[in-house]
Amino acid sequence: MQTLSLTHHNAIATVTLNRPDVRNAFNETTIAELTQVFQQLDKDDTVRAVVLAANGPAFCAGADLNWMKKMADYTHAENLADAGQLAAMLAAIYRCSKPVLAKVQGDCYAGGMGLVAACDIVVCVDSANFCLSEVRLGLIPATISPYVIKAMGESAARRYFITAERFSAAEAQRCGLVHELVSAEALDSKVAELTKALVSNSPHAVRQAKRLVQEVAGREITAELIAATVEGIAQIRASEEGREGVRSFLEKRKPSWLN
């Protein structure tokens, strides 16, 4: 890969944005590589959790300037195709069956916020800044909006979409975009703590729990939804890991996925 690095350790895959010289701004190559990597990790049974990290002082500055120069002359059809690739990348992260944790070690702007918002858990250094800067350039954060609005809420998104203000990591946490705020020195240990928790749980249950949130969030509580949740618990109770988990608890031993 030209723009990323990928490592595996103890069932945890770490995908690292590796263009520190341009503050990890992404271009068409980064988008294609992230899409491919997350689709592969989704199918890799040896992987139980994924960390999305970055090298250098910034997590991601959004779109690469050279890529933006090319886009300036795109036709409508070319813009549709290009935006479709970005959408596919974000969907690959969001739909990955493995839990994805964003390790944000520095500033995160524009499209970079889409990457973070598509993840399940976000751990961030307290010195990072965030910005949805698109309107300064006469653009809108359209493709990332489904994920950013889900993560930080409509009210905060309405403000930061239209002001393009920079805001702090503390504000990002207040809005719900960031889950854990830590010092730079504590970033690695917090990520290790959370990934250890993730890989200690039933792999099948974690996948189904992630899907459950995505399917239930924002829906009206109807008879149809209630029936779906009843079916969900019935299926997981009867599953191999569901039975093993309950048996191991009652027998006061470790479940098989920890052996």
Side-chain angles (χ1 to χ4, degrees), residues 47-125:
V47 173
R48 302 266 298 278
V50 182
V51 175
L52 179 60
N55 281 330
F59 179 79
C60 181
D64 178 86
L65 290 177
N66 290 323
W67 182 43
M68 290 178 68
K69 288 177 185 177
K70 287 194 289 185
M71 285 189 289
D73 296 322
Y74 278 3
T75 65
H76 180 260
E78 288 172 327
N79 274 308
L80 279 177
D82 188 73
Q85 295 300 314
L86 177 60
M89 176 194 74
L90 295 168
I93 298 171
Y94 182 75
R95 293 174 181 165
C96 182
S97 59
K98 316 300 168 62
V100 183
L101 185 152
K103 178 184 177 182
V104 182
Q105 91 296 358
D107 291 350
C108 184
Y109 293 164
M113 285 190 60
L115 291 177
V116 169
C119 296
D120 302 300
I121 302 170
V122 180
V123 182
C124 181
V125 294

Side-chain angles (χ1 to χ4, degrees), residues 149-225:
I149 294 171
K150 273 182 176 290
M152 68 189 305
E154 179 184 349
S155 178
R158 192 184 306 124
R159 171 179 174 174
Y160 292 116
F161 276 21
I162 63 178
T163 65
E165 299 168 82
R166 282 202 314 171
F167 57 96
S168 67
E171 171 67 1
Q173 184 183 41
R174 188 193 68 79
C175 295
L177 177 69
V178 168
H179 298 99
E180 292 281 349
L181 204 59
V182 296
S183 66
E185 295 75 19
L187 181 61
D188 287 342
S189 61
K190 177 55 70 173
V191 170
E193 174 190 328
L194 288 168
T195 52
K196 181 181 179 181
L198 290 170
V199 301
S200 297
N201 299 325
S202 157
H204 179 63
V206 168
R207 289 194 298 272
Q208 294 303 311
K210 175 172 176 171
R211 180 181 300 174
L212 177 66
V213 174
Q214 293 176 349
E215 292 179 349
V216 172
R219 290 180 58 182
E220 183 182 354
I221 302 177
T222 62
E224 180 184 12
L225 178 59

